[in-house]
Amino acid sequence: MFLKYALFLSANLLQVWILCYYGNKLSDSSLYVSQACYNQQWYNADTKYKRLLLIMMMRAQKPATIKPPTFKPTSCELFKEILSMSYRFFCVLNTMLNGKI
């Protein structure tokens, strides 16, 4: 029985961690888009290209995130909060069922 619950817990934690890890990686990578646009040789380009780069840089000021409608954006911080809240909930249930503190 213990092995069954341990495998179930580890599979669920792995699923949540993968989502949070790649959400964090996406937001970190999206912050570098405007810097990559600026590091081009934009000063040698025509006006239309400069305008498109400027629009891209303005849009890249806010990081891209994976955000479910009712949660915070996925990140490593969210994974930490999920683990902390799960442990608190487990402790409350354990105290209620066993009567121990």
Side-chain angles (χ1 to χ4, degrees), residues 5 13 18 22-23 25 28 33 46-47 52 59 67 69 84-85 93-94:
Y5 286 131
L13 284 177
I18 287 172
Y22 284 111
K25 195 169 183 174
D28 287 346
V33 171
D46 63 338
T47 308
L52 289 174
R59 291 186 71 185
K67 185 177 182 293
S84 176
M85 187 63 75
L93 286 177
N94 191 26

Side-chain angles (χ1 to χ4, degrees), residues 65-92:
T65 57
I66 300 172
K67 185 177 182 293
T70 57
F71 293 118
K72 295 180 180 181
T74 57
S75 65
C76 291
E77 287 293 319
L78 180 66
F79 183 69
K80 183 184 80 165
E81 290 176 16
I82 289 171
L83 287 180
S84 176
M85 187 63 75
S86 299
Y87 182 71
R88 286 184 211 153
F89 188 66
F90 170 76
C91 287
V92 167

Side-chain angles (χ1 to χ4, degrees), residues 13-27:
L13 284 177
L14 181 67
Q15 288 177 352
V16 173
W17 180 79
I18 287 172
L19 181 67
C20 291
Y21 173 75
Y22 284 111
N24 194 40
K25 195 169 183 174
L26 172 70
S27 63

Side-chain angles (χ1 to χ4, degrees), residues 37-53:
C37 289
Y38 184 77
N39 289 336
Q40 296 183 33
Q41 293 182 354
W42 54 269
Y43 41 84
N44 294 332
D46 63 338
T47 308
K48 185 176 181 181
Y49 185 74
K50 289 179 186 178
R51 189 176 301 126
L52 289 174
L53 277 178

